[in-house]
Amino acid sequence: MMRPRAIGAVRPFGGGDGAVRCEVVAVGTELLLGQIVDGNSAWIGEQLARAGIDCRFQVRVGDNRARIAATLRQALGRSEAVIVCGGLGPTQDDVTREAVAEAAGVSLRRDAAMGERIRRGFEARGRRFAETNLRQAELPEGARFIPDMPGTAPGLICPVGGKVLYAVPGVPFEMRRMLETCVLPDLRRRSGARAVIRSRVVKTWGESESRLAMLLADRIEALAGAGGATLAFQASGIEGLKVRITVKAESAAAADAVLDGEEAELRGRLGDAVFGTDAQTMESAVLGLCRERGESLAVAESLTGGLAAMRLTAVPGASEVFRGGIVAYASDVKFSLLGVPEGPVVSRAAATAMAEGVRRRLSASVGLGLTGVAGPAEQEGRPAGTVFVGLAREGQAESFEVRLPGDRAQVREHAVITALNLVRLRLSGSDRSAALR
Amino acid sequence: MMRPRAIGAVRPFGGGDGAVRCEVVAVGTELLLGQIVDGNSAWIGEQLARAGIDCRFQVRVGDNRARIAATLRQALGRSEAVIVCGGLGPTQDDVTREAVAEAAGVSLRRDAAMGERIRRGFEARGRRFAETNLRQAELPEGARFIPDMPGTAPGLICPVGGKVLYAVPGVPFEMRRMLETCVLPDLRRRSGARAVIRSRVVKTWGESESRLAMLLADRIEALAGAGGATLAFQASGIEGLKVRITVKAESAAAADAVLDGEEAELRGRLGDAVFGTDAQTMESAVLGLCRERGESLAVAESLTGGLAAMRLTAVPGASEVFRGGIVAYASDVKFSLLGVPEGPVVSRAAATAMAEGVRRRLSASVGLGLTGVAGPAEQEGRPAGTVFVGLAREGQAESFEVRLPGDRAQVREHAVITALNLVRLRLSGSDRSAALR
């Protein structure tokens, strides 16, 4: 069904069968020079995938009007929609507006209302207004501004024949806001797709990919034929393995019901390897368990140098259960402040003493201790990657040794998540061997 | 001058005037889906810029033979060289070899010696060899393998007319090795450019971009005409502003001499706003100054929750001067462990007491204290972003207040670099106001 054409009116592509392709063009010489990594295109690609919109090419091009225009024309030739990101600022370098107009074969006009809005924005921030800023009030004939304008640069929606070009700023939070409030909903409407695609990520730690694959093999097979949910593995390095559940359904409520069911299925199969979903992290899981169980936590760190405390305190509300930590980097600080017996400090005994010491010193119910060799040099005759983790609670303590791979930074990251996972397992009553990774 | 054509022989482009353009094509559906951020292209772009090779486009394309081949053909049409990255593995998804052959208009042949090398590699690692791995021993007619093979996938150099296509694996360390040992030297030889391009980054903290621009304006102007060094500003967010000096010279020694002279010039103009060059960080500068002056350091952290300690201990060799830290997250830990007087803990007095307390507790010569409101909620009636920094040395202490912008993570990062910068200024004898940002 074709609706009548109007500026900014929504026209479904390809007869409303949902077969929409959208290309992403990132503009900026600094991207080509490698001064900035193009995280914007990756983020946009992920959103398009979630919306069920196919993205076959992503192109980066410098601040050159002719090359941007040529790139946009090619993209419009092979896709129904194009998102161009960056080059919308007020300086002479910023030529995306001109390139969009050139690709659309129209001229630019200045919008008086937007000019006034930009001028008032400067006044409100007490900044001097320069006439050159009015370049941002220009838009191609037939285009309109994206209503939401979280920064100082307006975005554009520019229809080109039956296709569409969206121009958004390169500043990540401005780009994201415009995509979420305008571009993605518009693309979904244009695609005519009535289905809702939702996904949920189930996060695990402590199992290998091959073991997860084995535990889920028959489930993946059963789902493959059913046309409902799909499961996909995603590695996230030191932070563990993720299983993404994706569902296409008639409504958000229907999709969520399938996601809930599938998450329960996964949790049943994977047990306490699962530490959270979506935005949950290992540290938020640990803090949540402490809160639930009425426990308080303190950490004593040597090789990780504050990284465990830093991650825990990055979670808003951590102060309710996290008492604090002691970074005992020098050996004598371990002896004097944490009561570690004088002697080797890269040992299970030292890790246990650190955990118990910090628990008492900071009046916490749970104490965690981390000592080891981050590298690059060995210490006390032990190679880089040797790590000891101690856990102390009222009247009980345990410790274990792990050998962690990678460089100094990786060993530290890996040590922290290993230690936090131990707290998680013990607070949730699991007797799983925490040394397994 | 044209040399006779031979497989893999070096032919200068464009008459040896150095005008070489090289496009980068990154292959992988996971890149388009945003599951991986394309850091490879950014890194390659930076290397090309340093080698004086122009890069006008970077394209990401999925694991689709026809689309990769079309992308390579287009790239060869507008550039003298193309680096394609990814899709060289042994599975059916990996179709870059086929696409390179298609773009070059030749067929693939299997190289027996490479097949044997791959088979032996499996045996050496005790892994079962599957025949499908022999796909990696295939190469387009007229092409040769890149000699260095740090992983399991060989790279390719494929001449196409007077132009060249390089195919390298997507695994970052394999890609980087092949570029450094083969692709970049080959490109430089082909460009016929004898000049060496070198750059150095001078890192500053505490001055605005407009003030730096003012301090350097006449120097930038003087250099612009001279054809020697050039200066460019680069923002690096919370980590400060960088000035990149780039030099083109006859030899590495000549380039380094110019860089040394220009760095001295910048340091003279910018004074103690400069904290380091290239790989140096604020924390390595602080640790270096401590080592030089025979000082030892301890930190007491509240809102930053271990981030300062974590950054300091990320530097190898930190243990020589860094004693450790106390993360006093709960107020009563500040009172009991650091001797902060009971009362408001978000205050200049608390910051000073924390600095002095941790200095004594950990027997350090310099103590740093950080307290404040990371947000999102206010605390003690003070808004998020309010931060107090205290510095204590034998017989003296100072503190100051700053208001920092951004969300919880940004406030924490900003607080830490502000505090480390205070230590740097005072150890180097500067009386610059540390509250200036």
Side-chain angles (χ1 to χ4, degrees):
Chain A
M1 185 200 74
M2 295 289 276
R3 294 182 230 176
R5 171 106 190 268
I7 301 303
V10 169
R11 307 179 69 217
F13 296 124
D17 66 349
V20 171
R21 290 163 299 186
C22 179
E23 229 165 289
V24 180
V25 177
V27 172
T29 302
E30 70 279 11
L31 297 169
L32 296 176
L33 296 176
Q35 293 170 353
I36 297 177
V37 174
D38 180 18
N40 281 349
S41 296
W43 188 86
I44 296 172
E46 194 182 349
Q47 306 312 309
L48 293 174
R50 286 188 190 177
I53 292 163
D54 199 11
C55 178
R56 296 186 167 183
F57 298 93
Q58 295 184 346
V59 182
R60 269 180 291 242
V61 57
D63 299 305
N64 176 290
R65 175 183 163 160
R67 288 199 281 275
I68 301 169
T71 302
L72 297 177
R73 272 195 305 271
Q74 179 179 38
L76 284 168
R78 60 193 179 190
S79 294
E80 286 72 33
V82 178
I83 299 171
V84 53
C85 183
L88 291 178
T91 74
Q92 294 304 318
D93 285 6
D94 297 302
V95 293
T96 297
R97 276 175 300 269
E98 287 78 1
V100 167
E102 192 178 326
V106 298
S107 55
L108 283 175
R109 67 172 180 88
R110 181 163 296 177
D111 185 88
M114 180 55 79
E116 203 39 49
R117 184 171 168 185
I118 291 171
R119 189 189 297 273
R120 281 199 310 272
F122 271 78
E123 287 166 7
R125 288 188 304 278
R127 283 164 53 195
R128 221 178 67 80
F129 178 78
E131 285 299 313
T132 172
N133 290 299
L134 288 179
R135 291 190 61 225
Q136 295 185 297
E138 293 178 352
L139 81 172
E141 290 289 350
R144 61 189 171 103
F145 291 113
I146 289 176
D148 203 354
M149 185 172 144
T152 54
L156 305 172
I157 306 180
C158 183
V160 184
K163 301 186 170 185
V164 63
L165 246 166
Y166 305 96
V168 296
V171 179
F173 87 89
E174 298 181 28
M175 177 280 288
R176 290 182 185 209
R177 260 274 282 285
M178 289 188 190
L179 254 82
E180 283 166 349
T181 62
C182 172
V183 176
L184 291 166
D186 192 52
L187 270 174
R188 274 193 293 263
R189 278 193 303 268
R190 283 172 190 269
S191 79
R194 273 172 305 274
V196 172
I197 297 178
R198 292 220 168 187
S199 68
R200 186 173 300 169
V201 171
V202 174
K203 297 179 170 179
T204 77
W205 211 84
E207 297 286 11
S208 67
E209 184 160 358
S210 56
R211 173 126 175 98
L212 286 190
M214 200 194 77
L215 291 168
L216 298 180
D218 63 318
R219 186 66 195 161
I220 290 171
E221 207 173 318
L223 290 171
T230 59
L231 301 182
F233 291 109
Q234 295 180 315
S236 46
I238 289 164
E239 301 300 312
L241 288 161
K242 299 187 276 198
V243 185
R244 181 186 287 273
I245 317 168
T246 306
V247 174
K248 198 167 183 174
E250 294 270 306
S251 69
D256 284 344
V258 178
L259 288 176
D260 290 344
E262 204 52 42
E263 180 188 333
E265 175 73 32
L266 289 189
R267 285 185 180 269
R269 285 162 179 261
L270 305 179
D272 53 24
V274 176
F275 67 82
T277 58
D278 293 333
Q280 289 179 315
T281 58
M282 185 63 85
E283 48 271 30
S284 69
V286 165
L287 292 169
L289 276 169
C290 284
R291 203 171 289 123
E292 237 172 63
R293 310 283 148 109
E295 306 272 4
S296 59
L297 180 64
V299 299
E301 301 182 66
S302 181
L303 86 154
T304 54
L307 182 56
M310 187 275 273
R311 283 184 61 156
L312 288 161
T313 58
V315 182
S319 60
E320 291 167 36
V321 293
F322 183 67
R323 303 274 308 152
I326 291 178
V327 179
Y329 214 57
S331 292
D332 64 280
V333 174
K334 295 182 184 72
F335 308 145
S336 67
L337 211 54
L338 291 168
V340 173
E342 299 215 11
V345 294
V346 183
S347 66
R348 285 184 57 173
T352 314
M354 286 170 70
E356 181 56 24
V358 80
R359 193 183 79 79
R360 285 175 186 273
R361 269 284 187 195
L362 273 67
S363 311
S365 65
V366 180
L368 186 63
L370 274 154
T371 183
V373 189
E378 61 165 38
Q379 197 186 334
E380 294 181 0
R382 295 185 185 270
T386 311
V387 173
F388 298 91
V389 180
L391 182 74
R393 302 174 72 176
E394 183 72 48
Q396 55 177 298
E398 66 173 310
S399 64
F400 64 95
E401 175 178 358
V402 280
R403 281 296 181 88
L404 304 175
D407 62 15
R408 184 178 173 90
Q410 289 167 323
V411 166
R412 282 159 48 105
E413 290 283 356
H414 214 140
V416 166
I417 196 155
T418 303
L420 292 177
N421 191 50
L422 174 66
V423 179
R424 178 184 73 87
L425 290 174
R426 292 304 175 262
L427 288 187
S428 58
S430 167
D431 57 359
R432 171 196 280 260
S433 167
L436 281 178
R437 287 177 297 111
Chain B
M1 186 199 74
M2 295 289 277
R3 294 181 228 175
R5 172 105 189 266
I7 299 302
V10 168
R11 306 178 69 217
F13 295 125
D17 65 348
V20 171
R21 289 164 298 187
C22 179
E23 230 165 289
V24 181
V25 177
V27 172
T29 302
E30 70 279 12
L31 296 170
L32 296 177
L33 296 176
Q35 292 169 355
I36 296 178
V37 174
D38 179 18
N40 281 350
S41 296
W43 188 85
I44 295 172
E46 195 182 347
Q47 306 312 309
L48 292 174
R50 286 187 191 178
I53 293 162
D54 198 12
C55 179
R56 296 187 167 181
F57 297 93
Q58 295 183 346
V59 181
R60 270 179 293 242
V61 58
D63 299 304
N64 176 288
R65 174 182 163 162
R67 288 199 281 274
I68 301 169
T71 302
L72 296 178
R73 271 195 305 271
Q74 179 179 38
L76 284 168
R78 59 192 178 189
S79 295
E80 285 72 33
V82 178
I83 299 170
V84 53
C85 182
L88 292 178
T91 73
Q92 293 304 318
D93 285 6
D94 297 303
V95 292
T96 296
R97 276 175 299 270
E98 286 78 1
V100 168
E102 192 178 325
V106 298
S107 55
L108 283 174
R109 66 172 180 88
R110 182 164 295 178
D111 185 89
M114 180 56 78
E116 203 38 50
R117 182 171 168 185
I118 291 171
R119 189 189 298 272
R120 281 200 310 272
F122 271 78
E123 285 166 9
R125 288 189 303 278
R127 282 163 54 193
R128 220 177 67 82
F129 178 78
E131 286 298 313
T132 172
N133 290 299
L134 288 179
R135 291 191 60 224
Q136 296 185 294
E138 292 178 351
L139 83 173
E141 290 289 350
R144 61 189 172 101
F145 291 113
I146 289 176
D148 201 355
M149 185 172 143
T152 54
L156 303 172
I157 306 180
C158 183
V160 185
K163 301 186 170 184
V164 63
L165 247 167
Y166 306 95
V168 296
V171 180
F173 88 89
E174 299 180 28
M175 178 279 289
R176 290 181 186 211
R177 261 273 284 284
M178 289 189 190
L179 255 82
E180 283 164 351
T181 62
C182 173
V183 176
L184 291 167
D186 192 52
L187 269 173
R188 274 193 292 263
R189 278 194 304 270
R190 283 172 191 267
S191 78
R194 274 173 303 275
V196 172
I197 296 177
R198 294 220 169 187
S199 68
R200 185 174 300 168
V201 171
V202 174
K203 297 179 169 179
T204 78
W205 210 84
E207 296 286 11
S208 67
E209 184 161 357
S210 56
R211 172 126 175 101
L212 286 191
M214 199 194 77
L215 291 169
L216 297 181
D218 63 318
R219 186 66 194 160
I220 291 172
E221 208 172 318
L223 290 170
T230 58
L231 302 182
F233 291 108
Q234 294 180 315
S236 46
I238 289 165
E239 301 300 312
L241 288 161
K242 300 187 276 199
V243 185
R244 181 185 287 273
I245 316 167
T246 306
V247 174
K248 198 166 183 174
E250 294 270 306
S251 68
D256 285 344
V258 178
L259 289 176
D260 290 345
E262 205 53 40
E263 181 189 331
E265 175 73 31
L266 289 189
R267 285 185 182 269
R269 285 162 179 262
L270 305 179
D272 53 24
V274 175
F275 68 82
T277 57
D278 293 334
Q280 290 178 315
T281 58
M282 185 63 84
E283 47 271 32
S284 69
V286 165
L287 293 169
L289 275 169
C290 284
R291 202 171 290 122
E292 236 171 64
R293 311 283 148 108
E295 306 271 4
S296 61
L297 180 65
V299 300
E301 302 181 66
S302 180
L303 87 153
T304 55
L307 182 56
M310 187 276 272
R311 282 185 61 157
L312 288 161
T313 57
V315 182
S319 60
E320 291 167 37
V321 292
F322 183 66
R323 303 275 307 154
I326 292 178
V327 179
Y329 214 57
S331 293
D332 64 280
V333 174
K334 295 182 184 74
F335 308 146
S336 67
L337 211 54
L338 290 169
V340 173
E342 300 214 10
V345 294
V346 183
S347 65
R348 285 183 57 173
T352 313
M354 286 170 70
E356 181 56 25
V358 79
R359 193 183 80 79
R360 286 175 185 273
R361 269 285 187 194
L362 272 66
S363 311
S365 65
V366 180
L368 186 62
L370 274 155
T371 183
V373 189
E378 60 165 39
Q379 198 186 334
E380 294 182 359
R382 296 186 186 269
T386 310
V387 173
F388 298 91
V389 180
L391 182 74
R393 303 174 74 176
E394 183 72 48
Q396 59 186 70
E398 65 174 311
S399 65
F400 65 95
E401 174 177 359
V402 280
R403 281 296 180 86
L404 304 175
D407 61 17
R408 184 179 173 90
Q410 289 167 323
V411 166
R412 281 159 47 104
E413 290 283 357
H414 214 141
V416 166
I417 195 157
T418 302
L420 293 176
N421 191 50
L422 173 66
V423 180
R424 178 183 73 87
L425 290 174
R426 293 301 177 264
L427 289 187
S428 57
S430 168
D431 57 359
R432 174 195 279 261
S433 166
L436 282 177
R437 288 175 296 110

